[in-house]
Amino acid sequence: MKQALLVFVGGGFGSVGRYYVGKWLNNFENAIPYGTMLSNVLGSLLIGLILGYLGRTANVSENQTLLLATGFCGGFTTFSTFAYENHLYLKNGDYFSYLPYTLLSLFLGFTAVFLGLYLSKLV
């Protein structure tokens, strides 16, 4: 039960953070939902930093991983919104927004994880 509570608390903070990033950056004037992209890229960077650091630390707690990586990063990032936004682009025939948004999100997300893992070695 304690582990589920840690995921719940971390996920709650992550979801609220994602809400504010989306509210700040997602609007209908931009072709690309920058808030969703930023949340996913920052979350990818954070999970790389967190798991990289916790993976090389001798006193790693499963609770820390559940709170920070599973909970916070899981709540902060949003694959479902990313997938839905892509669905809307395809449904509306907006391939000029779909293609850069999808490719840039994937590239930046993977790059951010790798960068986070690399940076965790420097700390």
Side-chain angles (χ1 to χ4, degrees):
M1 185 65 170
K2 177 183 175 184
Q3 294 170 329
L5 185 60
L6 289 168
V7 173
F8 175 76
V9 169
F13 280 109
S15 295
V16 169
R18 181 182 74 231
Y19 167 76
Y20 281 114
V21 170
K23 188 173 179 174
W24 174 47
L25 290 175
N26 285 350
N27 61 53
F28 296 106
E29 296 173 14
N30 296 325
I32 293 178
Y34 293 108
T36 304
M37 185 185 300
L38 182 62
S39 292
N40 287 335
V41 171
L42 281 177
S44 296
L45 178 66
L46 282 173
I47 205 164
L49 284 167
I50 291 165
L51 293 179
Y53 177 76
L54 293 178
R56 65 179 185 78
T57 304
N59 55 358
V60 175
S61 157
E62 181 184 1
N63 292 338
Q64 292 169 316
T65 304
L66 289 172
L67 177 70
L68 299 172
T70 306
F72 183 82
C73 290
F76 190 70
T77 58
T78 174
F79 187 79
S80 57
T81 301
F82 169 71
Y84 181 72
E85 290 163 348
N86 278 301
H87 160 76
L88 291 178
Y89 286 139
L90 292 174
K91 178 181 169 189
N92 295 327
D94 188 359
Y95 303 108
F96 292 108
S97 296
Y98 164 78
L99 198 57
Y101 177 53
T102 301
L103 294 176
L104 197 57
S105 292
L106 292 172
F107 174 76
L108 291 175
F110 282 108
T111 301
V113 169
F114 297 141
L115 179 62
L117 290 168
Y118 172 77
L119 292 174
S120 73
K121 295 176 185 177
L122 303 176
V123 181

